[in-house]
Coordinates of all heavy atoms in Angstrom, one line a residue:
M1 N 0.8 -1.2 0.0 CA 0.0 0.0 0.0 C 0.9 1.3 0.0 O 0.6 2.2 -0.7 CB -0.9 -0.1 1.2 CG -1.8 1.1 1.4 SD -3.1 1.0 0.1 CE -4.2 2.2 0.6
L2 N 1.9 1.3 0.8 CA 2.8 2.4 0.9 C 3.5 2.6 -0.5 O 3.7 3.8 -0.9 CB 3.9 2.2 1.9 CG 4.9 3.3 2.2 CD1 4.2 4.5 2.6 CD2 5.9 2.9 3.2
I3 N 3.8 1.6 -1.2 CA 4.4 1.7 -2.5 C 3.5 2.4 -3.5 O 4.0 3.3 -4.3 CB 4.8 0.3 -3.1 CG1 5.9 -0.3 -2.2 CG2 5.3 0.4 -4.5 CD1 6.3 -1.7 -2.6
W4 N 2.2 2.1 -3.4 CA 1.3 2.8 -4.3 C 1.2 4.3 -4.0 O 1.1 5.1 -4.9 CB -0.1 2.2 -4.2 CG -0.2 0.8 -4.8 CD1 -0.2 -0.4 -4.2 CD2 -0.1 0.5 -6.2 NE1 -0.2 -1.4 -5.1 CE2 -0.2 -0.9 -6.4 CE3 -0.1 1.3 -7.4 CZ2 -0.2 -1.5 -7.6 CZ3 -0.1 0.7 -8.6 CH2 -0.1 -0.7 -8.7
I5 N 1.3 4.7 -2.8 CA 1.2 6.1 -2.4 C 2.4 6.8 -2.9 O 2.4 7.9 -3.4 CB 1.0 6.2 -0.9 CG1 -0.3 5.6 -0.4 CG2 1.2 7.7 -0.4 CD1 -0.5 5.6 1.1
V6 N 3.6 6.1 -2.7 CA 4.9 6.7 -3.1 C 4.9 6.9 -4.6 O 5.3 7.9 -5.2 CB 6.1 5.9 -2.6 CG1 7.4 6.4 -3.3 CG2 6.2 6.0 -1.1
L7 N 4.4 5.9 -5.3 CA 4.4 5.9 -6.8 C 3.4 7.1 -7.2 O 3.7 7.8 -8.2 CB 3.9 4.6 -7.4 CG 5.0 3.5 -7.4 CD1 4.4 2.2 -7.9 CD2 6.2 3.9 -8.2
A8 N 2.3 7.2 -6.6 CA 1.3 8.2 -6.9 C 1.9 9.6 -6.7 O 1.8 10.5 -7.5 CB 0.1 8.0 -6.2
V9 N 2.6 9.8 -5.5 CA 3.2 11.1 -5.2 C 4.4 11.4 -6.2 O 4.6 12.6 -6.5 CB 3.7 11.0 -3.7 CG1 4.6 12.2 -3.4 CG2 2.5 11.0 -2.8
V10 N 5.1 10.4 -6.6 CA 6.2 10.7 -7.6 C 5.8 10.7 -9.0 O 6.2 11.6 -9.7 CB 7.3 9.6 -7.4 CG1 8.4 9.7 -8.4 CG2 7.9 9.7 -6.0
L11 N 4.9 9.8 -9.4 CA 4.6 9.7 -10.8 C 3.6 10.8 -11.3 O 3.7 11.3 -12.4 CB 4.0 8.3 -11.2 CG 5.1 7.2 -11.1 CD1 4.4 5.9 -11.5 CD2 6.2 7.5 -12.1
L12 N 2.6 11.1 -10.5 CA 1.6 12.1 -10.9 C 2.2 13.5 -11.2 O 1.9 14.1 -12.2 CB 0.5 12.2 -9.8 CG -0.5 11.1 -9.8 CD1 -1.5 11.2 -8.7 CD2 -1.2 10.9 -11.1
P13 N 3.1 14.0 -10.3 CA 3.8 15.3 -10.7 C 4.6 15.1 -12.0 O 4.7 16.1 -12.8 CB 4.6 15.6 -9.5 CG 4.0 14.9 -8.4 CD 3.4 13.6 -9.0
L14 N 5.3 14.0 -12.2 CA 6.0 13.8 -13.4 C 5.2 13.8 -14.6 O 5.5 14.4 -15.7 CB 6.9 12.5 -13.3 CG 8.1 12.5 -12.4 CD1 8.7 11.1 -12.3 CD2 9.1 13.6 -12.8
V15 N 4.0 13.2 -14.5 CA 3.1 13.1 -15.6 C 2.5 14.6 -15.9 O 2.5 15.0 -17.0 CB 1.9 12.2 -15.4 CG1 0.8 12.3 -16.4 CG2 2.4 10.7 -15.4
A16 N 2.2 15.3 -14.8 CA 1.8 16.7 -15.0 C 2.8 17.5 -15.6 O 2.5 18.4 -16.4 CB 1.3 17.2 -13.6
L17 N 4.1 17.3 -15.2 CA 5.2 18.1 -15.7 C 5.3 17.8 -17.2 O 5.5 18.7 -18.0 CB 6.5 17.8 -15.0 CG 7.7 18.5 -15.5 CD1 7.6 20.0 -15.3 CD2 9.0 18.0 -14.8
A18 N 5.3 16.5 -17.6 CA 5.4 16.1 -19.0 C 4.2 16.8 -19.8 O 4.5 17.2 -20.9 CB 5.3 14.6 -19.1
L19 N 3.0 16.8 -19.3 CA 1.9 17.4 -20.0 C 2.1 18.9 -20.1 O 1.7 19.5 -21.1 CB 0.6 17.0 -19.3 CG 0.2 15.6 -19.4 CD1 -1.1 15.4 -18.5 CD2 -0.1 15.2 -20.8
A20 N 2.7 19.5 -19.1 CA 2.9 21.0 -19.2 C 4.1 21.3 -20.2 O 4.0 22.4 -20.9 CB 3.2 21.5 -17.8
V21 N 5.1 20.5 -20.3 CA 6.2 20.7 -21.1 C 6.0 20.4 -22.6 O 6.5 21.1 -23.5 CB 7.4 20.0 -20.6 CG1 8.6 20.0 -21.5 CG2 7.9 20.5 -19.2
R22 N 5.1 19.5 -22.8 CA 4.8 19.1 -24.2 C 4.4 20.2 -25.2 O 5.0 20.3 -26.2 CB 3.7 18.0 -24.2 CG 3.4 17.4 -25.5 CD 2.4 16.3 -25.4 NE 1.9 15.9 -26.8 CZ 0.8 16.4 -27.3 NH1 0.0 17.1 -26.6 NH2 0.4 16.0 -28.5
P23 N 3.5 21.1 -24.8 CA 3.2 22.2 -25.8 C 4.4 23.1 -26.0 O 4.6 23.6 -27.2 CB 2.1 23.0 -25.0 CG 1.6 22.1 -24.0 CD 2.6 21.2 -23.7
V24 N 5.2 23.3 -25.0 CA 6.4 24.2 -25.2 C 7.4 23.5 -26.2 O 7.9 24.1 -27.1 CB 7.1 24.4 -23.9 CG1 8.4 25.2 -24.1 CG2 6.2 25.2 -23.0
L25 N 7.6 22.2 -26.0 CA 8.5 21.5 -26.9 C 8.0 21.4 -28.3 O 8.8 21.4 -29.2 CB 8.7 20.0 -26.3 CG 9.5 20.0 -25.0 CD1 9.6 18.5 -24.6 CD2 10.9 20.6 -25.2
T26 N 6.7 21.3 -28.5 CA 6.1 21.3 -29.8 C 6.3 22.7 -30.5 O 6.3 22.7 -31.8 CB 4.7 20.9 -29.9 OG1 3.9 21.8 -29.1 CG2 4.5 19.5 -29.3
R27 N 6.4 23.7 -29.8 CA 6.6 25.1 -30.4 C 8.0 25.5 -30.6 O 8.3 26.5 -31.3 CB 5.9 26.1 -29.4 CG 4.4 26.0 -29.4 CD 3.8 27.1 -28.6 NE 4.1 28.4 -29.2 CZ 3.9 29.5 -28.6 NH1 3.5 29.5 -27.3 NH2 4.2 30.6 -29.2
L28 N 9.0 24.7 -30.1 CA 10.4 25.0 -30.3 C 10.8 25.2 -31.7 O 11.5 26.2 -32.0 CB 11.3 24.0 -29.6 CG 11.4 24.1 -28.1 CD1 12.3 23.1 -27.5 CD2 11.9 25.5 -27.7
P29 N 10.4 24.4 -32.7 CA 10.9 24.6 -34.1 C 10.3 26.0 -34.6 O 11.1 26.7 -35.3 CB 10.3 23.5 -34.9 CG 10.1 22.4 -33.8 CD 9.8 23.1 -32.6
G30 N 9.1 26.3 -34.3 CA 8.6 27.6 -34.7 C 9.3 28.8 -34.1 O 9.6 29.8 -34.7
L31 N 9.6 28.6 -32.8 CA 10.3 29.7 -32.1 C 11.7 29.8 -32.7 O 12.3 30.9 -32.8 CB 10.4 29.3 -30.6 CG 9.1 29.4 -29.9 CD1 9.3 28.9 -28.4 CD2 8.6 30.8 -29.9
R32 N 12.4 28.7 -33.1 CA 13.7 28.7 -33.7 C 13.6 29.5 -35.0 O 14.5 30.3 -35.3 CB 14.2 27.3 -33.8 CG 15.7 27.3 -34.3 CD 16.3 25.9 -34.2 NE 16.4 25.5 -32.8 CZ 15.8 24.4 -32.4 NH1 15.2 23.6 -33.1 NH2 16.0 24.1 -31.1
R33 N 12.6 29.1 -35.8 CA 12.5 29.8 -37.1 C 12.3 31.3 -36.9 O 12.8 32.2 -37.6 CB 11.3 29.2 -37.9 CG 11.6 27.9 -38.6 CD 10.5 27.6 -39.6 NE 9.2 27.4 -39.0 CZ 8.7 26.4 -38.4 NH1 9.4 25.2 -38.4 NH2 7.5 26.4 -37.9
A34 N 11.5 31.7 -35.9 CA 11.2 33.1 -35.6 C 12.5 33.8 -35.2 O 12.8 34.9 -35.6 CB 10.1 33.2 -34.5
A35 N 13.3 33.1 -34.4 CA 14.6 33.7 -33.9 C 15.5 33.9 -35.1 O 16.2 34.9 -35.2 CB 15.2 32.8 -32.9
V36 N 15.6 32.9 -36.0 CA 16.4 33.1 -37.2 C 15.9 34.2 -38.1 O 16.7 35.0 -38.6 CB 16.5 31.8 -38.0 CG1 17.1 31.9 -39.4 CG2 17.2 30.7 -37.2
A37 N 14.6 34.3 -38.2 CA 14.0 35.5 -39.0 C 14.4 36.8 -38.4 O 14.7 37.8 -39.1 CB 12.5 35.3 -39.2
L38 N 14.3 36.9 -37.1 CA 14.6 38.1 -36.4 C 16.1 38.5 -36.5 O 16.4 39.6 -36.7 CB 14.2 38.0 -34.9 CG 12.8 38.1 -34.5 CD1 12.5 37.8 -33.1 CD2 12.2 39.5 -34.9
Q39 N 16.9 37.5 -36.5 CA 18.4 37.7 -36.7 C 18.6 38.2 -38.1 O 19.4 39.1 -38.3 CB 19.2 36.5 -36.4 CG 19.3 36.1 -34.9 CD 20.0 34.8 -34.7 OE1 20.1 34.0 -35.6 NE2 20.4 34.6 -33.5
R40 N 17.9 37.7 -39.1 CA 18.0 38.1 -40.5 C 17.6 39.5 -40.6 O 18.2 40.4 -41.2 CB 17.3 37.2 -41.4 CG 17.6 37.4 -42.8 CD 16.8 36.4 -43.7 NE 16.7 35.1 -43.2 CZ 15.5 34.5 -42.9 NH1 14.4 35.1 -43.1 NH2 15.4 33.3 -42.4
R41 N 16.5 39.9 -40.0 CA 15.9 41.2 -40.0 C 16.9 42.2 -39.3 O 17.1 43.3 -39.8 CB 14.6 41.3 -39.3 CG 13.5 40.7 -40.0 CD 12.7 41.7 -40.9 NE 11.7 41.0 -41.7 CZ 10.4 41.3 -41.6 NH1 10.1 42.3 -40.9 NH2 9.6 40.7 -42.4
A42 N 17.5 41.8 -38.2 CA 18.5 42.6 -37.6 C 19.7 42.9 -38.5 O 20.2 44.0 -38.5 CB 18.9 42.0 -36.2
A43 N 20.1 41.9 -39.2 CA 21.3 42.1 -40.1 C 20.9 43.0 -41.2 O 21.7 43.9 -41.6 CB 21.7 40.7 -40.6
E44 N 19.6 42.9 -41.7 CA 19.2 43.8 -42.8 C 19.1 45.2 -42.3 O 19.4 46.2 -43.0 CB 17.8 43.3 -43.3 CG 17.8 42.0 -44.1 CD 16.5 41.5 -44.4 OE1 15.5 42.2 -44.0 OE2 16.4 40.4 -45.1
A45 N 18.6 45.4 -41.1 CA 18.5 46.7 -40.5 C 19.9 47.3 -40.3 O 20.0 48.5 -40.5 CB 17.8 46.6 -39.1
E46 N 20.8 46.5 -39.9 CA 22.2 47.0 -39.7 C 22.8 47.5 -41.1 O 23.4 48.5 -41.2 CB 23.1 45.9 -39.1 CG 24.5 46.4 -38.9 CD 24.7 47.5 -37.9 OE1 23.8 47.7 -37.0 OE2 25.7 48.2 -38.0
A47 N 22.5 46.7 -42.1 CA 23.0 47.1 -43.4 C 22.3 48.4 -43.9 O 23.0 49.2 -44.5 CB 22.7 45.9 -44.4
L48 N 21.0 48.5 -43.6 CA 20.3 49.7 -44.0 C 20.8 50.9 -43.2 O 20.9 52.0 -43.8 CB 18.8 49.5 -43.8 CG 18.1 48.6 -44.8 CD1 16.6 48.4 -44.3 CD2 18.1 49.2 -46.2
R49 N 21.1 50.7 -42.0 CA 21.7 51.8 -41.1 C 23.0 52.3 -41.7 O 23.3 53.5 -41.8 CB 21.9 51.3 -39.7 CG 22.3 52.5 -38.8 CD 22.7 51.9 -37.4 NE 23.8 51.0 -37.4 CZ 25.1 51.4 -37.6 NH1 25.4 52.7 -37.7 NH2 26.1 50.5 -37.6
E50 N 23.9 51.3 -42.1 CA 25.2 51.7 -42.7 C 25.0 52.4 -44.0 O 25.7 53.4 -44.3 CB 26.0 50.4 -42.9 CG 26.5 49.8 -41.6 CD 27.2 48.4 -41.8 OE1 27.3 48.0 -43.0 OE2 27.6 47.8 -40.8
T51 N 24.0 52.0 -44.8 CA 23.7 52.7 -46.1 C 23.2 54.1 -45.8 O 23.6 55.0 -46.5 CB 22.7 51.9 -46.9 OG1 23.2 50.6 -47.1 CG2 22.4 52.5 -48.2
A52 N 22.3 54.2 -44.8 CA 21.8 55.5 -44.5 C 22.9 56.5 -44.0 O 22.9 57.7 -44.3 CB 20.7 55.4 -43.4
E53 N 23.8 56.0 -43.2 CA 25.0 56.8 -42.8 C 25.8 57.2 -43.9 O 26.2 58.4 -44.0 CB 25.8 56.0 -41.7 CG 25.1 55.9 -40.4 CD 26.0 55.1 -39.4 OE1 27.0 54.5 -39.8 OE2 25.6 55.0 -38.2
S54 N 26.0 56.3 -44.9 CA 26.8 56.6 -46.1 C 26.1 57.7 -46.9 O 26.7 58.7 -47.3 CB 27.0 55.4 -46.9 OG 27.4 55.7 -48.2
L55 N 24.8 57.6 -47.1 CA 24.0 58.6 -47.8 C 24.0 59.9 -47.1 O 24.1 61.0 -47.7 CB 22.6 58.1 -48.0 CG 22.4 57.0 -49.0 CD1 21.0 56.5 -49.0 CD2 22.8 57.4 -50.4
Q56 N 24.0 59.9 -45.8 CA 24.0 61.1 -45.0 C 25.4 61.9 -45.2 O 25.4 63.1 -45.4 CB 23.8 60.8 -43.5 CG 23.9 62.0 -42.6 CD 22.7 63.0 -42.8 OE1 21.6 62.5 -43.2 NE2 23.0 64.2 -42.6
Q57 N 26.5 61.1 -45.2 CA 27.8 61.7 -45.4 C 27.9 62.3 -46.8 O 28.4 63.4 -47.0 CB 28.9 60.7 -45.2 CG 29.0 60.3 -43.7 CD 30.0 59.2 -43.5 OE1 30.5 58.6 -44.5 NE2 30.3 58.9 -42.3
R58 N 27.3 61.5 -47.8 CA 27.3 62.0 -49.2 C 26.5 63.3 -49.3 O 26.9 64.2 -50.0 CB 26.8 60.9 -50.1 CG 26.9 61.3 -51.5 CD 26.6 60.1 -52.4 NE 26.6 60.5 -53.8 CZ 26.1 59.8 -54.8 NH1 25.4 58.7 -54.5 NH2 26.1 60.3 -56.0
A59 N 25.3 63.3 -48.7 CA 24.5 64.5 -48.7 C 25.2 65.7 -48.1 O 25.1 66.8 -48.6 CB 23.2 64.2 -48.0
E60 N 25.9 65.5 -47.0 CA 26.7 66.6 -46.4 C 27.7 67.1 -47.3 O 28.0 68.3 -47.4 CB 27.3 66.1 -45.1 CG 26.2 65.9 -44.0 CD 26.8 65.2 -42.7 OE1 28.0 64.9 -42.7 OE2 26.0 65.0 -41.8
G61 N 28.4 66.2 -48.0 CA 29.4 66.6 -49.0 C 28.8 67.4 -50.1 O 29.3 68.4 -50.6
V62 N 27.7 66.9 -50.6 CA 27.0 67.7 -51.7 C 26.5 69.0 -51.2 O 26.6 70.0 -51.9 CB 25.8 66.8 -52.2 CG1 24.9 67.7 -53.1 CG2 26.3 65.6 -53.0
Q63 N 26.1 69.1 -50.0 CA 25.7 70.4 -49.4 C 26.9 71.4 -49.3 O 26.7 72.5 -49.6 CB 25.1 70.2 -48.0 CG 24.5 71.4 -47.3 CD 23.4 72.1 -48.1 OE1 22.5 71.4 -48.6 NE2 23.4 73.4 -48.3
R64 N 28.0 70.8 -48.9 CA 29.2 71.7 -48.9 C 29.6 72.2 -50.2 O 29.9 73.4 -50.4 CB 30.4 70.9 -48.3 CG 30.3 70.8 -46.7 CD 31.6 70.3 -46.2 NE 32.0 68.9 -46.7 CZ 31.6 67.8 -46.1 NH1 30.8 67.8 -45.0 NH2 31.9 66.6 -46.6
Q65 N 29.5 71.3 -51.3 CA 29.7 71.7 -52.6 C 28.7 72.8 -53.1 O 29.1 73.8 -53.7 CB 29.7 70.6 -53.6 CG 30.9 69.6 -53.4 CD 30.7 68.4 -54.3 OE1 29.7 68.2 -54.9 NE2 31.8 67.6 -54.5
L66 N 27.5 72.6 -52.7 CA 26.4 73.6 -53.1 C 26.7 74.9 -52.4 O 26.6 76.0 -53.0 CB 25.1 73.1 -52.6 CG 23.9 73.9 -53.0 CD1 23.7 74.1 -54.5 CD2 22.6 73.3 -52.4
D67 N 27.1 74.9 -51.1 CA 27.5 76.2 -50.4 C 28.6 76.9 -51.1 O 28.6 78.1 -51.3 CB 27.8 75.9 -49.0 CG 26.6 75.4 -48.2 OD1 25.5 75.7 -48.6 OD2 26.8 74.8 -47.1
T68 N 29.7 76.1 -51.5 CA 30.8 76.7 -52.2 C 30.4 77.3 -53.5 O 30.8 78.4 -53.9 CB 31.9 75.6 -52.4 OG1 32.3 75.1 -51.1 CG2 33.1 76.2 -53.0
T69 N 29.6 76.5 -54.2 CA 29.1 77.0 -55.6 C 28.3 78.3 -55.4 O 28.5 79.2 -56.2 CB 28.3 75.9 -56.3 OG1 29.1 74.7 -56.4 CG2 27.9 76.3 -57.6
S70 N 27.4 78.3 -54.5 CA 26.6 79.5 -54.3 C 27.5 80.7 -53.8 O 27.2 81.9 -54.2 CB 25.4 79.3 -53.4 OG 25.7 78.6 -52.3
Q71 N 28.5 80.5 -53.1 CA 29.4 81.6 -52.7 C 30.2 82.1 -53.9 O 30.3 83.3 -54.1 CB 30.4 81.1 -51.6 CG 29.8 80.9 -50.3 CD 30.8 80.3 -49.3 OE1 31.9 80.0 -49.6 NE2 30.3 80.1 -48.0
R72 N 30.6 81.2 -54.8 CA 31.3 81.6 -56.0 C 30.4 82.3 -56.9 O 30.8 83.3 -57.5 CB 31.8 80.3 -56.7 CG 33.0 79.7 -56.0 CD 33.6 78.5 -56.7 NE 34.7 77.9 -56.0 CZ 35.2 76.8 -56.3 NH1 34.7 76.1 -57.3 NH2 36.2 76.3 -55.6
I73 N 29.1 81.9 -57.0 CA 28.1 82.6 -57.9 C 27.9 84.0 -57.3 O 27.9 85.0 -58.1 CB 26.8 81.8 -58.0 CG1 27.0 80.6 -58.8 CG2 25.7 82.7 -58.5 CD1 25.8 79.6 -58.9
A74 N 27.8 84.1 -56.0 CA 27.6 85.4 -55.4 C 28.8 86.3 -55.6 O 28.7 87.5 -55.9 CB 27.3 85.3 -53.9
L75 N 30.0 85.8 -55.6 CA 31.2 86.5 -55.8 C 31.3 87.0 -57.3 O 31.6 88.1 -57.6 CB 32.4 85.6 -55.5 CG 33.8 86.3 -55.5 CD1 33.9 87.4 -54.5 CD2 34.9 85.3 -55.3
I76 N 30.9 86.1 -58.2 CA 30.9 86.5 -59.6 C 29.9 87.6 -59.9 O 30.1 88.5 -60.6 CB 30.6 85.2 -60.5 CG1 31.8 84.3 -60.5 CG2 30.3 85.6 -61.9 CD1 31.5 82.9 -61.1
K77 N 28.7 87.4 -59.3 CA 27.7 88.5 -59.5 C 28.1 89.8 -58.9 O 27.8 90.9 -59.4 CB 26.3 88.0 -58.8 CG 25.6 87.0 -59.6 CD 24.3 86.7 -58.9 CE 23.5 85.6 -59.7 NZ 22.2 85.3 -59.1
A78 N 28.8 89.7 -57.8 CA 29.3 91.0 -57.1 C 30.4 91.7 -58.0 O 30.4 92.9 -58.1 CB 29.9 90.7 -55.8
K79 N 31.2 90.9 -58.7 CA 32.2 91.5 -59.5 C 31.6 92.1 -60.8 O 32.1 93.1 -61.3 CB 33.2 90.4 -60.0 CG 34.2 90.0 -58.9 CD 35.2 89.0 -59.4 CE 36.2 88.6 -58.3 NZ 37.1 87.6 -58.8
R80 N 30.5 91.5 -61.3 CA 29.9 92.0 -62.5 C 29.1 93.3 -62.2 O 28.8 94.1 -63.1 CB 28.9 91.0 -63.0 CG 29.6 89.9 -63.8 CD 28.6 89.0 -64.5 NE 29.3 88.0 -65.2 CZ 28.7 87.0 -65.8 NH1 27.4 87.0 -65.9 NH2 29.5 86.1 -66.5
G81 N 28.7 93.5 -61.0 CA 28.1 94.8 -60.8 C 26.8 94.7 -60.1 O 26.1 95.5 -60.0

């Protein structure tokens, strides 16, 4: 009789634990795919950030050229009268 009580006290929690863990284990492949997709998106976002920084630097260079050009035009107009 004592053996049945011990088995019930030990086995029932183990069965309950297995039933609780089963849904989590069945979702692991989907979670893994989601994690890989998120890592891919993070890499794409990093590449886009680098491209945006490059474009920003290029725009600043073009702005400097535009400022220089407008200063030269103003100087030419001032010399003409």
Side-chain angles (χ1 to χ4, degrees):
M1 180 72 168
L2 182 62
I3 292 175
W4 288 108
I5 295 172
V6 170
L7 285 175
V9 168
V10 171
L11 290 180
L12 285 178
L14 288 176
V15 169
L17 178 64
L19 290 175
V21 169
R22 184 175 167 261
V24 174
L25 292 178
T26 58
R27 293 186 61 197
L28 281 180
L31 292 173
R32 186 171 293 123
R33 281 192 302 272
V36 168
L38 285 174
Q39 288 174 344
R40 192 177 323 118
R41 290 266 176 123
E44 290 172 0
E46 179 65 23
L48 287 174
R49 186 189 61 78
E50 291 172 1
T51 303
E53 287 177 355
S54 164
L55 287 172
Q56 178 68 29
Q57 290 173 354
R58 186 172 177 197
E60 290 170 358
V62 169
Q63 183 64 42
R64 282 191 299 271
Q65 289 177 349
L66 181 62
D67 291 342
T68 303
T69 303
S70 41
Q71 287 174 357
R72 288 181 182 169
I73 289 173
L75 186 63
I76 291 171
K77 284 183 180 180
K79 285 183 180 179
R80 285 190 179 175

